[in-house]
């Protein structure tokens, strides 16, 4: 970002600003009827603004977490700083011309300037990471999730270093069949059918697994996979997924799915 204090705009229209492509694929033919639920916290309203679900992911390698405030000094991270490799969802009022300030501990890391926004309620993804090995300045990646029946997975590379890796997605195949695998491209978005998957980060040169993470998708839900880490620090290269299958938010989504299924069954009688 060429501006001081890492001022970057984003959320332009209904398409990603930085993420290169929206790659629409249906993997492995897994389809079902479901619904998703969002955990909402940090409710901040700006005058004259429209509410959006803002998903913030902290890929900034540091022992101190991120604190986020609006230009009117309202703190979004009311429950405490957002830790490294963590993501959270905030229902917040945003308007073009507004901004969000980010601090790592007590040090200002950068400012994200809001430009255009979608006209309808949308899930907005904002990833904060280190601009380079040589500076502590923050950089940002932003994306607007589309309105799709399928689950969506944004794949973002925030790793800073010389290591090379490829990311693969595999499904949970029956015991008598080998798992199916596909390569995922960094800085892209894919649409996935509902199901259980595994993301595997593999060393390009040695062919060995570096890191892996489970991914359980339901329709209409939005997910993010991050390659994080930084050379020369205590933060190695690894893959991080949100929402994690074991998280409270994933549990809320599953509860919603079960509720919808029960309602459909009751309507048959």
């Amino acid at each position: 970002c060429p501006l001081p204090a890492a001022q970057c705009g984003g959320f332009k229209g209904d398409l990603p600003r930085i993420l290169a492509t929206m790659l629409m694929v249906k993997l492995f033919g897994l389809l079902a009827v479901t619904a998703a639920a969002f955990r909402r916290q940090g409710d901040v309203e700006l005058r004259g603004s429209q509410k959006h679900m803002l998903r913030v992911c902290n890929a900034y390698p540091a022992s101190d977490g991120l604190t986020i405030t609006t230009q009117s000094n309202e703190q979004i991270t009311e429950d405490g700083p957002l830790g490294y490799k963590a993501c959270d969802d905030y229902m917040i009022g945003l308007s073009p011309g507004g901004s969000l300030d980010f601090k790592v501990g007590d040090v200002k890391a950068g400012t994200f300037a809001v430009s255009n926004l979608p006209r309808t309620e949308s899930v907005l993804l904002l990833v904060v990471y280190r601009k380079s090995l040589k500076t502590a300045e923050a950089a940002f990646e932003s994306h607007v999730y589309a309105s799709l029946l399928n689950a969506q997975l944004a794949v973002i590379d925030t790793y800073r270093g010389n290591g090379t890796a490829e990311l693969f997605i595999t499904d949970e195949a029956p015991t008598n069949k080998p798992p199916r695998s596909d390569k995922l491209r960094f800085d892209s978005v894919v649409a996935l059918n509902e199901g259980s998957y595994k993301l595997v980060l593999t060393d390009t040169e040695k062919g060995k697994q570096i890191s892996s993470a489970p991914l359980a998708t339901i329709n209409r839900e939005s997910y993010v996979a991050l390659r994080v880490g930084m050379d020369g620090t205590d933060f190695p290269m690894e893959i991080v997924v949100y929402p994690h299958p074991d998280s409270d938010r994933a549990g809320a989504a599953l509860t919603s799915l079960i509720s919808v299924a029960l309602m459909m069954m009751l309507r048959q009688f």
Side-chain angles (χ1 to χ4, degrees):
C1 181
L3 299 178
Q7 292 184 336
C8 296
F11 308 131
K12 294 184 178 179
D14 293 320
L15 296 175
R17 180 182 68 88
I18 296 176
L19 300 186
T21 59
M22 171 67 83
L23 177 62
M24 304 304 297
V25 296
K26 291 187 175 181
L27 295 182
F28 315 134
L30 303 174
L31 294 173
V33 178
T34 185
F38 292 101
R39 180 168 61 89
R40 304 182 178 187
Q41 66 179 52
D43 194 1
V44 180
E45 177 69 26
L46 304 180
R47 289 186 178 181
S49 62
Q50 183 178 359
K51 279 194 173 184
H52 293 276
M53 178 66 73
L54 178 66
R55 173 168 297 169
V56 181
C57 291
N58 180 9
Y60 190 103
S63 55
D64 292 324
L66 284 176
T67 55
I68 312 169
T69 56
T70 67
Q71 60 184 1
S72 58
N73 292 322
E74 294 180 272
Q75 188 165 142
I76 298 176
T77 48
E78 295 177 329
D79 295 338
L82 184 64
Y84 174 60
K85 300 191 298 183
C87 300
D88 213 342
D89 296 339
Y90 308 94
M91 182 57 78
I92 178 175
L94 292 171
S95 59
S99 63
L100 298 172
D101 291 324
F102 293 82
K103 287 185 177 181
V104 178
D106 296 327
V107 179
K108 184 174 180 179
T111 298
F112 182 84
V114 180
S115 54
N116 294 332
L117 288 164
R119 297 180 180 178
T120 58
E121 288 190 4
S122 307
V123 178
L124 312 178
L125 174 66
L126 182 58
V127 180
V128 187
Y129 62 104
R130 191 85 166 253
K131 186 176 181 180
S132 72
L133 291 169
K134 298 179 180 180
T135 177
E137 188 177 354
F140 304 92
E141 296 276 5
S142 63
H143 172 64
V144 180
Y145 288 101
S147 178
L148 298 177
L149 171 63
N150 296 90
Q152 298 172 71
L153 174 67
V155 185
I156 302 176
D157 188 6
T158 68
Y159 167 73
R160 289 293 173 259
N162 299 318
T164 58
E166 293 180 322
L167 183 62
F168 294 89
I169 182 171
T170 62
D171 71 333
E172 287 191 353
T175 54
N176 60 338
K177 294 182 179 181
R180 292 162 290 186
S181 179
D182 243 329
K183 182 179 177 180
L184 292 175
R185 190 153 48 90
F186 289 115
D187 299 329
S188 67
V189 181
V190 297
L192 297 171
N193 290 321
E194 189 172 274
S196 296
Y197 303 92
K198 183 180 181 181
L199 299 186
V200 180
L201 191 65
T202 303
D203 188 303
T204 306
E205 297 179 353
K206 299 179 181 179
K208 296 182 179 180
Q209 177 177 310
I210 299 173
S211 173
S212 66
L215 171 66
T217 62
I218 61 173
N219 289 337
R220 303 187 189 279
E221 178 62 285
S222 304
Y223 301 85
V224 58
L226 305 169
R227 181 169 79 138
V228 300
M230 184 172 177
D231 285 359
T233 69
D234 295 328
F235 307 100
M237 183 198 307
E238 56 185 309
I239 193 70
V240 175
V241 172
Y242 180 83
H244 191 275
D246 297 331
S247 68
D248 293 338
R249 190 174 181 282
L254 179 60
T255 300
S256 175
L257 170 61
I258 295 173
S259 298
V260 171
L262 288 173
M263 290 175 63
M264 293 177 66
M265 292 176 60
L266 289 173
R267 288 175 182 173
Q268 295 178 359
F269 294 94

